[in-house]
Amino acid sequence: MTADTNSTLTERLKETVSFLNGKGVKDPEIGIILGSGLNDFADNIADPVVLSYDDIPNMQSGKVSDHRGQLVFGIYKGKRVVMLAGRFHYYESGDMQKAAYPARVLVALGVKRFIITNAAGCINKTWKVGSLMLIKDHINLSGNNPLIGDNIQEFGPRFPDMTYTYNRELRSRLKEAAAEEGIDLCEGVYAMFSGPSFETPAEIIFARTIGADAAGMSTVPEAIIANHAGCEIIGISLMTNMAAGILDQPLSGAEVTEAGIKARKAFGRVVDLAIEL
Ligand code: HPA
C-alpha cells in the first residue's frame, strides 16, 4: 500500500505495526531480510502468517521479478521470526527512506536481531560463485544515507557509531558453527553501489582497492537503521557472479537468480545456524 506522505514517519510506523499486530505478527525476536533468489527460505516457517506488502499500510512493494513482496511471520527453530521476502531497493525510487522503511518496521515490531542477506558480485578473486560471505563491515558508496533528515531521538542517536555494526561475537560463533558442519564461510567487506546498472570494471577495481570483497545494491540502508536502533546484525552475502571485469564476459540478472537457486541449501543452513546462535 502506498504511504500517506503527509503523516510523520512515527505515525506511519505506528499504523503499520498496529496492522501487523492485528494480524498476529507480535513480538518477533529475529528479523530476516531475504535477498534475490533467496526468498524461498520463507517457506521454512510452518503455519505462517503471510502478508503481501500490497496489503500492509505504508509498505512499498518490491518490483524485482524474483522477489515475492511478502512478510512472513511464525515460529522457526523455536524462535518468533519475521521474514521479509523481497526488498524495496534504493534504485527503485532513489529514496533511501523508502528503501529503509521495512527495516524500520522490523525495529518498531521489536526485532532485536537482524539477519540481512543479499546476492552480491564477488570482488575477492580467491573466492568463487556460490561462496558465502559473512559481512564484517560495509562501505556505503550509494552517496546517500537513510538517517539523513531530522533525527528521531527515540529511535537512536543523531550520530550513531558504526564501529561494531556487524556483531563481532555473533560472527565468531557463526563461523565456528559453520566450520563444525564443514560449510565454508568467508568473511569480508560489502560495498553498496546504488545500481541498477551493474558496476563498471573500473568501479570494481576501485572497490577492491579501498577494501571491498563484494559489491551489491542493498543491505546498507537496513544495516544503518538496525544499528541506529541498537540491534544485533548478521549480514550474509551470496556470491552470485564474479564482479564486473574479473571474467571477460558480461553480467546478467538471470545469472544472479540462477546462482541463488543453486546455493539455496548451504545458504539456508547458514541462516539456520544464525537463528540458532
Ligand atoms: N553487483 C551489484 N549487485 C549485485 C551483483 C553485482 O555484481 N550481483 C548480484 N547483485
Side-chain angles (χ1 to χ4, degrees):
M1 260 185 217
T2 41
D4 170 6
T5 44
N6 292 322
S7 57
T8 66
L9 177 60
T10 316
E11 282 165 357
R12 276 183 276 137
L13 282 168
K14 260 196 200 142
E15 192 189 0
T16 306
V17 167
S18 98
F19 171 86
L20 293 172
N21 286 165
K23 295 284 180 193
V25 182
K26 280 199 187 127
D27 304 321
E29 299 153 85
I30 299 181
I32 306 179
I33 302 174
L34 297 167
S36 314
L38 307 170
N39 282 209
D40 287 356
F41 187 81
D43 295 335
N44 286 329
I45 298 187
D47 298 323
V49 176
V50 181
L51 297 164
S52 162
Y53 291 170
D54 291 337
D55 299 328
I56 303 174
N58 308 321
M59 197 89 158
Q60 305 283 330
S61 53
K63 292 197 190 84
V64 174
S65 55
D66 69 313
H67 284 198
R68 297 192 198 183
Q70 284 176 339
L71 181 149
V72 182
F73 171 78
I75 308 288
Y76 183 62
K77 306 244 163 232
K79 305 221 166 110
R80 288 186 306 283
V81 174
V82 58
M83 298 190 194
L84 297 179
R87 34 158 78 89
F88 191 70
H89 290 88
Y90 176 52
Y91 60 72
E92 280 161 288
S93 64
D95 184 341
M96 268 294 178
Q97 297 305 326
K98 286 185 181 168
Y101 190 77
R104 288 199 185 275
V105 170
L106 295 187
V107 169
L109 280 167
V111 162
K112 295 286 177 281
R113 179 182 299 171
F114 273 68
I115 301 172
I116 311 179
T117 71
N118 61 56
C122 186
I123 296 178
N124 187 318
K125 289 183 187 171
T126 67
W127 304 342
K128 55 184 194 301
V129 170
S131 291
L132 290 167
M133 179 186 91
L134 196 51
I135 303 178
K136 69 174 178 193
D137 204 347
H138 74 225
I139 301 173
N140 181 3
L141 296 174
S142 73
N144 207 333
N145 189 305
L147 298 177
I148 288 176
D150 288 342
N151 185 54
I152 304 174
Q153 202 61 31
E154 64 190 87
F155 290 178
R158 169 76 291 187
F159 301 108
D161 177 60
M162 295 288 290
T163 312
Y164 306 113
T165 303
Y166 300 90
N167 191 282
R168 264 198 298 198
E169 165 71 22
L170 292 178
R171 275 194 280 132
S172 134
R173 278 160 47 201
L174 185 54
K175 275 187 289 182
E176 248 172 58
E180 270 172 28
E181 297 206 3
I183 299 172
D184 204 4
L185 194 54
C186 313
E187 196 171 32
V189 174
Y190 176 91
M192 181 197 174
F193 288 83
S194 74
S197 52
F198 285 118
E199 302 71 34
T200 63
E203 284 164 348
I204 291 302
I205 291 168
F206 163 69
R208 181 184 301 114
T209 308
I210 61 171
D213 296 287
M217 305 175 193
S218 68
T219 299
V220 166
E222 297 128 354
I224 291 173
I225 292 299
N227 181 63
H228 182 235
C231 298
E232 295 174 339
I233 303 170
I234 297 170
I236 305 164
S237 295
L238 166 66
M239 303 299 134
T240 52
N241 55 281
M242 296 313 285
I246 293 184
L247 307 175
D248 190 10
Q249 63 186 47
L251 268 48
S252 81
E255 171 186 29
V256 169
T257 310
E258 211 173 288
I261 291 166
K262 276 197 190 138
R264 205 177 274 166
K265 203 163 152 230
F267 165 79
R269 192 61 202 132
V270 173
V271 178
D272 277 355
L273 292 173
I275 295 169
E276 287 165 351
L277 287 175

